[in-house]
Amino acid sequence: MDKMDKFLRVHNGERVNRSAIPHLSFHEFRNELLAFTVAGGQVVQFFAYRDNKDSSSLKLLAVLRNDKLYVTGCDAPDSFASLTAVTEKFHLFEREIGEQYGLKAEGHPWWKMVRYHRNCTGKADVFGNDYSEDIPGKYPYFEVEGEGVHEVAVGPVHAGIIEPGHFRFQCFGERVFHLEIQLGYQQRGVEYLLQTVPLKRLPIIGETVAGDTSIGHGLCMAQGIEALAGLEVDQGAKVVRTLALELERIANHIGDLGALSLDVAFSPPAAYFGRIRGDYLNLSQILGGNRFGRGLVRPGGVTQSMGEEQRQLIQEKITELTPEVEHVNDLIFSTPSVRTRFDHTGKVSQQDAERIGMVGYAGRACGLPYDARVAFPTECYADLPANSNGKIDGDVASRADVRREEVMHSTGLINTLLARSEEARTYTPQDIRLAPDSFVVTVNEAWRGEASHCILTDEQGNILRYKIKDPSFHNWTGLALALREQGISDFPLCNKSFNLSYCGFDL
Amino acid sequence: MLTILKVIKNRFEQGHRTSKYPEENINLYKRFRGLPIVNTNCDPAVVQQCAAACPQEAIDTDSCQIDLGKCVFCGLCESLSKGKYVRFSQNFEMGTAARNDLLFAVSLPNLANHSKKHFKKLFGRSLQLRQISAGGCNACEADTNVLNTPFFDLSRFGIQFVASPRHADGIHVTGPISKNMQQALLTTWEAVPDPKVVIASGACAISGGPFYGSEDIVGDLNSLIPVDLYIPGCPPHPLTTLHALLQFFK
């Protein structure tokens, strides 16, 4: 563990004593965070918490990354000079701190609610909301005025089987000047639940933070609990977990590639990939008994080992599906009417992507190579090869292309993992106790990008603060930027090319 | 190669994939956790151990019943009791017309016999549903959407998910009804013309699911509007949904 003056370097999934985390003055804290992020570092987590369960004194904590992970903290002032006013990387984090704990970031350029709920401290609401009114309540949408300018409002209930959210387009004819995305409809109080319910409920809630990321968030939680409870995971279980995460990635990428094809009115690949996605979900069911991988990952290992039978069934199906996937992808990507719609649509520049901290395939499509599997490997990833994507134009075509590549890359990883011989030992549920006064941060490359959980415990080893960040927390802003100067009819295409999580964001 | 030739080549490779269900049954892999088989003569100490460990508090120690409206089918009770109290079968047929029927020990009532006759008459040949996600984690939504893919091909039964509640015969609700979605849910329901059907899909819409106890959710769709059909699971397997729709309306 390197200890710089103002930061503590931490490893992914490593327990550290809370007392080892530097405690700066707010002034120093702000300056250090700004210097770090202006120099190219990114924010992994930035949140407020109570010093102990009964205390009214609040603290701030930040986890930052460059090629390493760092943590630092300070006392939280009731109001403070906004960091977002200097760099956009803190934009939603500061709004979230305001909403959750009633702390005001003065001079924040876009000071609005995030999810629409009361703060937990009883302080006056920093947005002036009246929560007896239902959402959207009083919300000051950005408005453009002028001759020929009009507004299009969509949602929360959308035309399809999809989660709710509200979109406001400021348009001139078909052209979108600005899109504002207001979420919060899915807010279930996940973090508060995790801080208050018995430990036995945690894995179930962790797997349902975002259903399509059951393994991604399930792993973040399991690794966090393992670090705090001192549980060892055997190699065989790590193979199963890595395999499950890659199956999740392939299923989602394939479903979305089919849906992208449908959004440009080329329907055969949508039908094929719709069915093939289901075949990959069924492989998760062979592995763990559930199409989304639920019930498989638990603190300490996996509930089901991968025997010769499962290994063979998965291998046979992967061998059968891989050429089909290649052929359908070839059909999509070589069709001129698809290319003309994908190319140059919904572009986010590399500079903007860096400024808002985009992650995952959407970030990689803009030329930000960050992949948590490479930077902060967990499970088996340190032994596995990385993918480096070729097309980095930041448009729909690039986001589709990265995912086409990642499907093949993940297929390669699965073949490698299936050839490994370790078998997970039988899982036995055990009573666990979390280490007191501890901190852990876990980071995994879920299919959308960097998912991260932070857990802080109090002096009795109870969970004092459970903080979750879904990759969508960074990337929704990217979708809003992608729509600027686009035809409004390209919204479904742009939206699907990101396919962000509503409930992962809303928690 | 010309696009049209590639389309034809892929079409041949893909073949015809639509399942013959319900004429032919589908056997799911043995690890799939469907309808539990409960041993009501189990040692009470084992049942108590399972009940205490159950993250969903779905087990009643006196009756040995499992509340399938709360259960997320995680399999913990099966592994804890080593199959002595519960074993999960591969039977995916779990829909019920009444909430109490989900309190399960021996068998579920035949759904087809408990559906409302006028629903079968009205909607048996054509059923249009408006799906509403109200705090759903996207797993229920995804495994409902998958019914539109070629394998299940829901529209061959005359059942469709439609965009406008005005075109719908009922609503299909997923999620624990987040407070922030309560009003939008009710408004959508009101916009559906009478007579209309209400379907609660997944542990969340039935009981709050994994989020029970949260102050930010309603947790039970039936407490807001009367539910006609319950489809348990976390999420329900697509075949569980398909079976329930066919039994209830056909």
Side-chain angles (χ1 to χ4, degrees), chain A residues 238-239 242-243 246 373-374 377-387 409-410 412-418 420:
Chain A
K238 286 183 182 174
V239 169
T242 312
L243 194 69
E246 294 306 318
R373 291 174 293 178
V374 178
T378 58
E379 308 300 335
C380 299
Y381 287 110
D383 310 331
L384 296 170
N387 182 53
H409 173 251
S410 295
L413 299 185
I414 287 174
N415 285 327
T416 306
L417 292 165
L418 287 170
R420 288 177 61 159

Side-chain angles (χ1 to χ4, degrees), chain A residues 186-252:
Chain A
Q186 297 282 71
Q187 205 270 130
R188 298 155 295 176
V190 167
E191 288 179 1
Y192 184 74
L193 270 181
L194 292 171
Q195 288 156 198
T196 47
V197 300
L199 280 176
K200 68 175 182 178
R201 289 184 61 186
L202 261 59
I204 306 294
I205 299 173
E207 287 174 336
T208 45
V209 168
D212 51 24
T213 316
S214 293
I215 299 290
H217 280 293
L219 276 179
C220 281
M221 172 176 281
Q223 291 159 1
I225 302 285
E226 282 151 12
L228 293 177
L231 303 175
E232 288 292 326
V233 178
D234 63 280
Q235 278 303 319
K238 286 183 182 174
V239 169
V240 173
R241 288 170 166 207
T242 312
L243 194 69
L245 188 61
E246 294 306 318
L247 282 173
E248 182 169 272
R249 189 181 325 277
I250 294 179
N252 281 296

Side-chain angles (χ1 to χ4, degrees), chain A residues 115-117 134-135 156-164 184-190 193 198 200-201 204-205 207-212 266 268 271-272 274-279 281-282 285-292 294-296 298 304-307 309-310 313 320 323-324 327-328 330-331 334-336 427 429 448 503, chain B residues 1 3 6-7 9-14 17 28-33 51-57 72-74 76 79-80 130-146 148-152 161-163 176 178-185 188 209-217 234-235 237-238:
Chain A
R115 307 179 177 110
Y116 199 73
H117 63 83
D134 271 308
I135 196 172
V157 179
H158 297 283
I161 305 181
I162 180 173
E163 297 173 71
Y185 297 91
Q186 297 282 71
Q187 205 270 130
R188 298 155 295 176
V190 167
L193 270 181
K200 68 175 182 178
R201 289 184 61 186
I204 306 294
I205 299 173
E207 287 174 336
T208 45
V209 168
D212 51 24
F266 188 47
Y272 306 152
R275 192 267 305 171
I276 291 172
R277 170 180 166 276
D279 283 345
L281 294 177
N282 288 340
Q285 186 170 287
I286 285 174
L287 198 58
N290 178 289
R291 281 159 57 90
F292 294 84
R294 290 186 175 165
L296 179 64
R298 288 292 180 268
Q304 314 237 26
S305 66
M306 181 167 60
E309 180 183 321
Q310 288 81 28
L313 284 169
E320 176 196 320
E324 288 185 34
H327 298 158
V328 177
D330 179 51
L331 178 60
S334 66
T335 298
Y427 171 81
R448 281 192 189 89
C503 55
Chain B
M1 210 193 313
T3 296
K6 282 188 183 173
V7 170
K9 185 168 155 276
N10 272 281
R11 185 68 193 80
F12 273 107
E13 185 175 45
Q14 292 295 320
R17 303 284 189 158
L28 295 176
Y29 186 63
K30 63 184 178 190
R31 284 193 174 179
F32 170 71
R33 293 180 292 274
C54 176
Q56 291 300 103
E57 292 170 19
V72 293
F73 299 81
C74 71
L76 181 63
S79 65
L80 265 185
R130 169 66 239 195
Q131 208 287 323
I132 304 168
S133 169
C137 75
N138 201 21
C140 283
E141 292 77 359
D143 257 358
T144 305
N145 220 351
V146 88
N148 292 316
T149 61
F151 180 81
F152 301 99
F161 286 94
V162 294
S178 46
K179 293 261 171 79
N180 285 349
M181 260 308 278
Q182 183 176 339
Q183 189 51 53
L185 167 77
T188 310
F211 311 103
Y212 70 90
S214 168
E215 288 179 7
D216 296 318
I217 62 164
C234 186
H237 193 280

Side-chain angles (χ1 to χ4, degrees), chain A residues 463-475:
Chain A
I463 294 177
L464 182 64
R465 180 77 166 103
Y466 200 114
K467 186 77 201 80
I468 296 175
K469 188 203 67 184
D470 187 86
S472 307
F473 196 69
H474 295 280
N475 286 4

Side-chain angles (χ1 to χ4, degrees), chain A residues 19-162:
Chain A
S19 56
I21 299 171
H23 188 75
L24 312 178
S25 70
F26 178 76
H27 180 70
E28 273 181 310
F29 179 81
R30 184 177 188 278
N31 288 343
E32 292 298 327
L33 260 53
L34 288 174
F36 191 97
T37 47
V38 169
Q42 292 287 0
V43 186
V44 178
Q45 299 260 18
F46 178 36
F47 59 88
Y49 66 101
R50 275 181 218 273
D51 206 6
N52 63 62
K53 277 226 153 100
D54 311 312
S55 156
S56 61
S57 77
L58 300 174
K59 288 201 157 91
L60 295 174
L61 196 123
V63 180
L64 307 176
R65 67 170 164 91
N66 41 35
D67 56 345
K68 301 183 182 75
L69 283 171
Y70 298 94
V71 58
T72 189
C74 71
D75 283 330
D78 276 350
S79 73
F80 55 89
S82 164
L83 285 78
T84 311
V86 182
T87 160
E88 292 87 343
K89 289 171 183 176
F90 295 93
H91 155 219
L92 269 165
F93 291 103
E94 284 190 331
R95 284 167 59 183
E96 184 185 50
I97 288 168
E99 186 166 75
Q100 293 185 330
Y101 287 85
L103 306 175
K104 186 146 201 226
E106 300 284 352
H108 190 293
W110 202 243
W111 189 241
K112 298 178 172 199
M113 70 186 199
V114 184
R115 307 179 177 110
Y116 199 73
H117 63 83
R118 283 186 179 84
N119 70 54
C120 68
T121 59
K123 290 185 203 288
D125 187 66
V126 292
F127 307 106
N129 279 329
D130 171 7
Y131 294 97
S132 61
E133 276 181 54
D134 271 308
I135 196 172
K138 291 177 287 181
Y139 185 82
Y141 286 96
F142 182 80
E143 281 177 29
V144 178
E145 288 177 353
E147 197 179 341
V149 174
H150 65 105
E151 184 180 78
V152 179
V154 184
V157 179
H158 297 283
I161 305 181
I162 180 173

